Amino acid sequence: MVELLGRLEQYSRRFPQEVLVLEAQVGDQQEQVMIFKGISSLLLGATAFDPDVPVLPDAAVLVSLDRLRSPYTPQQPQYLAQGLTPDAVETLLTAAGC
C-alpha cells in the first residue's frame, strides 16, 4: 500500500485540479485517505506531522478510489469518477505515467 500511496501522491501532483479519496481495509477497520497535491491525510483519524511516515500500513488493501474536482467541498462533491476498483486505479496510474 505504501508504494500505491506514493504513486497516487505523484498522480495528484500532476493533476492538482483533482482530489483523490481512497478507501482502504486495514485489518477489520475501514480507513479513508484524502490525497491532494501530493499530500495524503487520514479523514477519520490523526495524520503524523512527519511526511515520511505513511498514513496507512503496507498491509492495507485498496477497496476503492474516488476522483473529485478541486476544490473539494464535502457538502457538494463534484465526482469525476466514483468507486474505482484496484484494477481501474492501476490503469489510471499507468496511463498517467505514475
Side-chain angles (χ1 to χ4, degrees), residues 21-94:
V21 177
L22 173 136
E23 195 164 314
Q25 189 71 33
V26 182
D28 61 349
Q29 188 172 340
Q30 202 87 350
E31 293 285 356
Q32 286 186 325
V33 176
M34 180 176 284
I35 305 167
F36 180 62
K37 291 187 178 181
I39 304 295
S40 296
S41 180
L42 287 172
L43 290 180
L44 304 175
T47 302
F49 273 129
D50 184 352
D52 292 331
V53 175
V55 295
L56 292 173
D58 209 27
V61 176
L62 173 67
V63 174
S64 67
L65 180 80
D66 295 337
R67 296 173 49 222
L68 298 103
R69 187 176 316 278
S70 173
Y72 174 67
T73 307
Q75 298 83 3
Q76 294 179 335
Q78 296 179 335
Y79 289 95
L80 301 171
Q82 203 170 0
L84 296 176
T85 64
D87 288 339
V89 171
E90 182 61 38
T91 300
L92 173 73
L93 293 175
T94 300

